[in-house]
Amino acid sequence: LKEDLRSLRDERLHTTLLGLPIIGVIGFTIIPLIFMISIAFTSYAGASLQFNWQGIEILRRLIMIEDNLYTLVSVIRWTLIWAVLATFTNYFGGILLSMLINKKGIKGKKIWRTVFIITMATPQFVSLLIMNQMFAFEGPVNQFLLNIGVINENINFWGDQFRARTLIIIVNMWVGIPYLMLLTSGILMNIPEDLYEAAVIEGASKFQAFIKITMPYMLYITTPLLLMQFIGNMNNFNVIYLLTQ
């Protein structure tokens, strides 16, 4: 026992140190997760402590009642659509923006990068609340469109489902593209110029060079990032709630 304890302070110190985060994960992630899953099988409905174990009755009601099932399917469908669009619009928007800024002949590259970094420096909830007010029924966007004669009456941007969802995706691009732009700029600078020169000699167009050289290189490096972005957007509560309540 003494030798084991001594080894935990010496050659097996890494095991001792890993014990701390393992205890944290169990206490703050696994146990709460099991608790929350268990609640799904009870009649829990808020702050009241008066609830009973009901097994799969709640899940049966969720699936068997048509209105409940329709709501569940519609929410899942929109969540998946949102996650895919939010992920790939930011991803390709960031690549396009970084390619434009890094293009030879563009002057003031540092200034352009700084302008887009400002959107990252501003807290996300501030940007989203500002956008919420800008597109409000009596907000500046409606007033501007009325003043220049584009519309005759105010548009309810957040009250219409299609308009609200479209605006959510556009605003998310405004918030998310600068981050991807910074990330992909560093990757683009590391792609060997020889590959593009060889492609030009072979008669490849710029689009072909993008498809055959740039994208494979980007995807090889950023696939884990894409997966993290997709999962993050599946759980992205801030953007949708702060814009539409």
Side-chain angles (χ1 to χ4, degrees):
L1 178 61
K2 288 182 179 179
E3 290 179 357
D4 285 339
L5 292 176
R6 193 179 298 111
S7 69
L8 288 174
R9 297 198 312 267
D10 190 6
E11 65 266 16
R12 291 172 59 199
L13 179 63
H14 61 280
T15 304
T16 305
L17 296 177
L18 281 173
L20 296 175
I22 288 173
I23 293 171
V25 168
I26 293 172
F28 295 103
T29 302
I30 295 176
I31 292 177
L33 188 61
I34 293 172
F35 177 73
M36 295 299 293
I37 292 172
S38 300
I39 284 179
F41 298 95
T42 70
S43 60
Y44 183 82
S48 173
L49 297 178
Q50 303 298 321
F51 58 93
N52 302 310
W53 187 264
Q54 294 194 347
I56 63 171
E57 174 61 23
I58 297 293
L59 300 179
R60 189 191 67 80
R61 238 184 284 165
L62 179 66
I63 296 172
M64 299 304 292
I65 298 177
E66 186 177 349
D67 289 345
N68 292 344
L69 182 61
Y70 174 78
T71 302
L72 176 65
V73 172
S74 64
V75 168
I76 291 173
R77 183 176 63 243
W78 161 239
T79 302
L80 291 174
I81 292 171
W82 149 256
V84 171
L85 291 177
T87 300
F88 287 99
T89 51
N90 282 356
Y91 182 71
F92 288 108
I95 292 175
L96 178 62
L97 188 59
S98 61
M99 288 179 67
L100 290 173
I101 293 176
N102 289 328
K103 190 174 178 63
K104 291 181 180 179
I106 298 294
K107 297 181 179 179
K109 294 183 180 183
K110 292 182 180 179
I111 296 174
W112 287 112
R113 289 196 186 99
T114 303
V115 168
F116 288 105
I117 288 173
I118 290 173
T119 62
M120 294 175 58
T122 306
Q124 189 186 73
F125 78 93
V126 173
S127 300
L128 296 175
L129 290 175
I130 290 173
M131 290 292 182
N132 171 270
Q133 293 302 309
M134 285 182 64
F135 288 94
F137 191 72
E138 298 290 344
V141 173
N142 269 316
Q143 294 302 317
F144 175 74
L145 294 176
L146 283 170
N147 291 339
I148 64 175
V150 174
I151 58 175
N152 297 320
E153 57 182 14
N154 289 4
I155 300 173
N156 190 0
F157 287 105
W158 303 124
D160 178 78
Q161 188 183 79
F162 179 77
R163 290 196 202 105
R165 289 178 172 179
T166 304
L167 269 178
I168 286 170
I169 293 169
I170 294 172
V171 171
N172 185 69
M173 291 172 64
W174 165 255
V175 172
I177 282 179
Y179 169 74
L180 271 301
M181 179 267 296
L182 279 179
L183 186 70
T184 54
S185 288
I187 299 172
L188 285 173
M189 285 188 233
N190 287 322
I191 300 178
E193 286 292 331
D194 298 349
L195 295 176
Y196 293 106
E197 292 172 2
V200 171
I201 293 172
E202 292 292 330
S205 64
K206 291 184 178 179
F207 180 74
Q208 288 175 320
F210 176 77
I211 295 296
K212 298 292 185 179
I213 299 174
T214 307
M215 280 312 302
Y217 195 90
M218 294 291 296
L219 287 171
Y220 179 75
I221 296 175
T222 60
T223 297
L225 173 70
L226 267 178
L227 184 60
M228 289 172 57
Q229 289 270 325
F230 182 80
I231 294 172
N233 285 319
M234 287 278 288
N235 299 304
N236 196 334
F237 177 79
N238 294 346
V239 173
I240 294 177
Y241 180 75
L242 290 175
L243 288 176
T244 65
Q245 305 299 312

